[in-house]
Amino acid sequence: AQTVTQSQPEMSVQEAETVTLSCTYDTSESDYYLFWYKQPPSRQMILVIRQEAYKQQNATENRFSVNFQKAAKSFSLKISDSQLGDAAMYFCAYRSALNTGTASKLTFGTGTRLQVTL
Amino acid sequence: EAQVTQNPRYLITVTGKKLTVTCSQNMNHEYMSWYRQDPGLGLRQIYYSMNVEVTDKGDVPEGYKVSRKEKRNFPLILESPSPNQTSLYFCASSFLATTYEQYFGPGTRLTVT
């Protein structure tokens, strides 16, 4: 079974600075997808960024980028120019590329709560 | 607007009183799933459905039931709720192929006393 580990329960960053959230995962599969979800106080789960394991190029979405190290099974999220609205819980998640029922689920880490200070 | 809806958003109930949390999506997704979120544990899958009348257990199915009689609806049923089912519940849906994003509902905060 796949596991996802987020070792930083809480992080803090000053507005306009850069912060990196860590995520490691364990899998025996070679093809899969990785995600970062943001959960603001509204509790809504918002997809921030996704990475396909077969792509070597790191995904970027505006101020959000990832550092995907497949051999090390590491998938960190970098937030540049942090804004107050970035304050939220961030979850790293894994999904197999196998198109079966069990494999279609998202496996989540335990989350990192990001605080943004002035 | 493409969306997943859940009702109710908040629910306080007592042990043993049957309840249903509804989930509906308007995107014609085949795949639907229920997750529960608990502090320090992240989100864990309860049940999922690959299509109408096709459901199966996830990682934490004990104490829950589901049904999928229509493609758009996937209700979560707690026949005899217990305090350890106090949690935040999310419904999610997607097209079957794993390349597609899963869309989440707004969540249901359940408290069982």
Side-chain angles (χ1 to χ4, degrees), chain B residues 42-61:
Chain B
L43 285 79
R44 295 174 293 166
Q45 189 183 58
I46 303 170
Y47 267 94
Y48 67 90
S49 170
M50 301 285 279
N51 215 323
V52 176
E53 302 292 0
V54 181
T55 64
D56 207 346
K57 297 177 181 178
D59 295 323
V60 289

Side-chain angles (χ1 to χ4, degrees), chain A:
Chain A
Q2 294 80 24
T3 59
V4 177
T5 301
Q6 293 179 251
S7 58
Q8 305 155 316
E10 294 185 355
M11 293 280 287
S12 183
V13 63
Q14 282 192 321
E15 200 177 17
E17 296 296 308
T18 296
V19 64
T20 298
L21 308 184
S22 300
C23 173
T24 59
Y25 58 95
D26 189 28
T27 184
S28 59
E29 298 176 334
S30 59
D31 200 10
Y32 47 87
Y33 302 90
L34 295 165
F35 306 86
W36 279 98
Y37 281 88
K38 172 185 178 181
Q39 187 180 49
S42 67
R43 306 198 309 257
Q44 181 69 48
M45 295 292 287
I46 302 166
L47 178 63
V48 174
I49 200 165
R50 63 177 262 167
Q51 173 79 42
E52 290 86 354
Y54 63 84
K55 290 185 177 179
Q56 290 190 340
Q57 186 174 6
N58 289 324
T60 62
E61 287 288 342
N62 300 314
R63 296 182 296 106
F64 299 87
S65 61
V66 299
N67 183 4
F68 173 49
Q69 301 289 329
K70 190 173 184 179
K73 295 180 182 175
S74 171
F75 183 60
S76 60
L77 174 70
K78 186 171 82 170
I79 306 174
S80 304
D81 186 25
S82 297
Q83 301 174 359
L84 293 177
D86 295 333
M89 180 74 87
Y90 287 82
F91 289 99
C92 179
Y94 171 103
R95 187 179 188 183
S96 170
L98 293 173
N99 196 22
T100 64
T102 302
S104 296
K105 74 175 182 183
L106 287 164
T107 299
F108 287 87
T110 53
T112 296
R113 184 169 300 283
L114 178 66
Q115 183 181 22
V116 181
T117 59
L118 293 170

Side-chain angles (χ1 to χ4, degrees), chain B residues 5-24:
Chain B
T5 56
Q6 293 179 228
N7 283 290
R9 296 288 310 279
Y10 301 89
L11 180 59
I12 301 174
T13 190
V14 296
T15 300
K17 186 176 181 181
K18 182 179 179 180
L19 66 91
T20 299
V21 183
T22 64
C23 172
S24 184

